[in-house]
Amino acid sequence: MKKILFFFIALAPCLFAQNYEEIYLKNGPSAVIEAIEKNILSKDYWLNKLKDKDVRYGYYDNEILLSVVDKTDKELEVISYKDGVTKKLFSSSVIVGKNGDKLLEGDLKTPVGVYQLTRRFTPNDRYLGPLAFSLSYPNLLDKLAKRNGSGIWIHGYPLDGQRTDELKTKGCVAMQNDILMKFDEVIDHKKTLAFIYEDKRPEASVNDIAVIISGILNWKKTWSESDINSYLKFYDKDFERYDGMSLENFKNMKRAIFSKKEKKHIAFSNFLITPYPNLKNDKLFRVSFYEDYAADTHKFAGQKTLYVKLYGDEMKIFIEE
């Protein structure tokens, strides 16, 4: 118990600290944990914790690289993020496909969104250069929006000549081969997200991130406590689950599950919160984290991804993986 108490006290900054010794003496260690949890669930706690962090490109618990592609100015930058500090590591001109959201196979458009670099490989086609990185297009948001297509890569120029037609990228991002090799030296594709935007790059604010983290933690609390009414308030009116389940069917399913009042263990770690580019200029974010869930009837340990919308200081989940 002493170790647990020390851990929670270490989490709470002095600015928000109540007299935890008094709480401990009057009500015991569980009351101290409850008081600290109340702080951690508040937006103000996170505003203070993040006040000196650069969160324009999002918030990440661990070091990460962002491959930021500007479709309008045809430029790619690599931005590193570590402990709230960002740094530009690489910049190059690139060629991309047509403007606009990618909707269909063969529309020659480069998608707008956030994608994982899923693979580093040597293309079979010499036209695509010496090296390529595949992107996780279509992601869940794309699929639920009925967007299709595949094979979106970051790759090089032909090994036996120059490109003359930009549209032959077929939606990919291409750069000169010598520059591509420098790009390869800078990144670790397993720790890199591709961030592709058009016209205006969306930026997060400290307030945005504080709203999201406090929102996610409060959502988890209602889930842990089987508080179905409070839990469902976190879902957007346009919510869809990964399998296309509608909000109404999702509510009915969750009511049945929560009615069992099962004891649950739910822990989240390794947050990745990224502002999500979109041509509607909605305030969207991709929120990914490691989830450890255990109840009598179900167990899960793995990566979970949500897509959330911000309406002022209110967070709503509109897609859940």
Side-chain angles (χ1 to χ4, degrees), residues 11-12 23 28 114 132 134 176 215:
L11 284 176
I23 295 173
V114 176
S134 59
Q176 295 279 358

Side-chain angles (χ1 to χ4, degrees), residues 24 32 41 53 64 90 132 157 217 226 228 273 277 316 319:
Y24 181 89
V32 175
L41 292 174
K53 308 291 187 184
I64 194 170
F90 174 90
Y157 275 34
L217 295 180
S226 296
I228 185 64
I273 303 174
K316 295 287 187 179
I319 293 176

